[in-house]
Amino acid sequence: MQKLGRNVGGYKGETIDIAAVLRDVQQGALKAGWTFEAAPTAEGIELHTWQRQPAQPRQRVYLSAGIHGDEPAGPLAVRQLVQENLWPPDLALWLCPCLNPTGFSQGRRENAQGIDLNRQYLHPEAAETRAHIAWLEGQPAFDLTLCLHEDWEANGFYLYELNPDHLPSSAEKIIRRVAEVCPIDPSPEIEGRPAQGGIIRPSVDPRSRPQWPESFWLLTHKTRHSYTLEAPSDFPLASRVAALVTAVRTAVEPERRA
Ligand SMILES: [Zn+2]
């Protein structure tokens, strides 16, 4: 699979009707018996959240998408995952299908005020980030958090793993499975960080960084294990969506004992 060569200086690919995608998510989630909760912002924007709560949860997983409005594969992957509804029966899930609705309406990375929401989580000023954190503070701790993204410059799929306690990692398995549906970025350095076979394991202490992404807030407040999954925007949208769907499915798969 070749790069499309379309993204020059930024994302130039497909856009989505985010309201329609969120309606599809709602329809699928209600059909599956999930619970809705709105996280309303001070500016009247409503962030949607959904919960899947089995009686005896084995694993508590948080999944978010759409924090960057020029990354359509995340919300589309969420829609597919919700519609297919093929989760491990004992998986509890907290889902935020789109954290930046105004960015999608304008087809840009930032929100309508021009703020990159994924740099807001240490000093939140954007209404969306404040509402998101307020909602998160009311939720329990998660065993695993997954944040869906795209990278318009990437040469293939890659992921960040934050795993300070060295819990069993699925990173290599995720890469193996995604490789069946989408190229993996083989670069030894991605976004200025050392990478190996599409895996970046930043050693950085969140406290030393002034601009926190969502994953840093999650790691310091709600979880000890996080993956940020990055689909390559210069490849066909269908393979980017397949990459994120495959990555999520693999990450939540129960461990098989050999
Ligand atoms: Zn992103």
Side-chain angles (χ1 to χ4, degrees):
M1 197 183 296
Q2 296 293 313
K3 284 179 85 167
L4 299 169
R6 197 160 50 184
N7 294 340
V8 179
Y11 179 63
K12 302 288 194 293
E14 301 86 344
T15 56
I16 51 173
D17 177 351
I18 192 65
V21 172
L22 290 175
R23 276 196 300 275
D24 293 344
V25 169
Q26 175 177 33
Q27 208 171 40
L30 288 174
K31 196 172 152 198
W34 295 16
T35 314
F36 177 78
E37 195 180 344
T41 74
E43 291 169 6
I45 307 155
E46 198 175 71
L47 301 181
H48 293 189
T49 78
W50 292 95
Q51 284 182 42
R52 174 190 202 271
Q53 295 295 350
Q56 303 273 327
R58 169 191 59 86
Q59 198 187 21
R60 291 177 170 78
V61 175
Y62 165 87
L63 172 62
S64 75
I67 201 167
H68 289 137
D70 58 354
E71 299 178 5
L76 293 180
V78 162
R79 176 173 71 177
Q80 184 177 333
L81 286 160
V82 170
Q83 288 176 336
E84 292 181 351
N85 198 32
L86 299 168
W87 307 92
D90 47 6
L91 179 91
L93 189 74
W94 285 256
L95 171 67
C96 297
C98 181
L99 292 173
N100 181 11
T102 66
F104 276 92
S105 303
Q106 301 190 0
R108 65 190 224 179
R109 175 181 176 91
E110 300 83 7
N111 73 353
Q113 282 76 44
I115 300 170
D116 184 337
L117 298 178
N118 209 30
R119 300 288 182 270
Q120 281 279 299
Y121 282 80
L122 184 55
H123 303 294
E125 287 168 5
E128 294 91 333
T129 316
R130 288 173 178 274
H132 183 215
I133 289 176
W135 173 79
L136 277 169
E137 280 171 340
Q139 311 311 320
F142 307 119
D143 299 305
L144 182 68
T145 66
L146 304 170
C147 302
L148 306 190
H149 284 259
E150 293 191 55
D151 180 341
W152 64 268
E153 291 174 293
N155 296 310
F157 175 89
Y158 66 92
L159 62 82
Y160 297 89
E161 179 175 38
L162 298 172
N163 184 7
D165 301 338
H166 307 287
L167 299 165
S169 172
S170 313
E172 280 81 7
K173 187 165 74 170
I174 293 171
I175 293 293
R176 275 201 307 277
R177 296 272 179 80
V178 172
E180 295 167 14
V181 296
C182 179
I184 306 299
D185 193 330
S187 313
E189 191 182 287
I190 302 173
E191 295 284 300
R193 294 203 179 74
Q196 205 173 17
I199 300 170
I200 305 171
R201 293 190 165 104
S203 54
V204 62
D205 177 356
R207 284 164 296 190
S208 69
R209 289 257 305 262
Q211 294 192 318
W212 278 19
E214 178 193 10
S215 60
F216 281 15
W217 193 95
L218 292 167
L219 191 75
T220 47
H221 293 79
K222 288 289 171 187
T223 194
R224 301 299 289 162
H225 200 181
S226 124
Y227 293 107
T228 297
L229 305 165
E230 299 272 358
S233 304
D234 210 22
F235 289 85
L237 183 56
S239 45
R240 284 134 63 189
V241 173
L244 294 177
V245 167
T246 302
V248 171
R249 285 212 192 297
T250 309
V252 304
E253 201 171 75
E255 296 277 324
R256 280 204 198 84
R257 308 229 182 274

